[in-house]
């Protein structure tokens, strides 16, 4: 089974995009979501190749919408990957941190 950290950073971002898009997460909606977060526009070929790879890994599934458009959803294997990462980040943000007193001593 694939782990979250075995995915590329872009594939991780694609998973987040699929979870974040409110309507059907179809290719162009995912591209728009990612384009808002990346400095340079995402190339269609990059997006669709990574979507195909994630489908092959059984992390997402592709569903035909209208014969030309596909919607993408997290699978039962993909959802826990993203959920675990979210929980890990939340727990790290909630950890108390030592306060420096300015003396240079720990």
């Amino acid at each position: 089974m694939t782990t979250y950290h075995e995915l590329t950073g872009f594939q991780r971002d694609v998973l987040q995009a699929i979870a974040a898009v409110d309507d059907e997460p179809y290719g162009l909606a995912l591209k728009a979501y990612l384009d808002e977060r990346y400095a340079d526009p995402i190339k269609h070929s990059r997006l669709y190749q990574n979507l195909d790879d994630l489908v092959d890994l059984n992390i997402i599934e592709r569903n035909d919408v209208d014969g030309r458009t596909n919607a993408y959803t997290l699978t039962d294997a993909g959802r826990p990957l993203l959920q675990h990462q979210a929980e890990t980040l939340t727990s790290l943000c909630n950890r108390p941190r030592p306060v420096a007193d300015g003396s240079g001593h720990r």
Side-chain angles (χ1 to χ4, degrees):
M1 176 165 185
T2 303
T3 68
Y4 187 80
H5 295 289
E6 290 174 308
L7 301 174
T8 67
F10 185 72
Q11 289 172 332
R12 295 175 201 166
D13 290 346
V14 169
L15 292 182
Q16 291 176 25
I18 290 169
V21 171
D22 289 332
D23 296 328
E24 287 188 350
Y26 59 96
L28 291 178
L30 297 173
K31 183 180 181 323
Y33 179 90
L34 293 165
D35 280 342
E36 290 179 10
R37 287 150 181 82
Y38 278 73
D40 296 320
I42 303 300
K43 294 185 185 302
H44 285 85
S45 59
R46 179 181 185 196
L47 174 61
Y48 288 103
Q49 179 59 53
N50 280 279
L51 287 168
D52 289 344
D53 291 346
L54 292 168
V55 168
D56 291 344
L57 291 170
N58 192 39
I59 294 173
I60 65 171
E61 63 184 12
R62 177 181 355 189
N63 301 297
D64 181 49
V65 174
D66 63 12
R68 287 189 44 171
T69 305
N70 293 312
Y72 298 89
T73 55
L74 298 171
T75 63
D76 289 341
R79 196 170 299 104
L81 287 179
L82 192 58
Q83 182 68 35
H84 178 70
Q85 182 63 12
E87 290 168 358
T88 299
L89 292 173
T90 298
S91 70
L92 292 174
C93 290
N94 291 331
R95 288 178 59 190
R97 298 289 180 202
V99 177
D101 64 7
S103 69
H105 299 288
R106 291 182 184 212

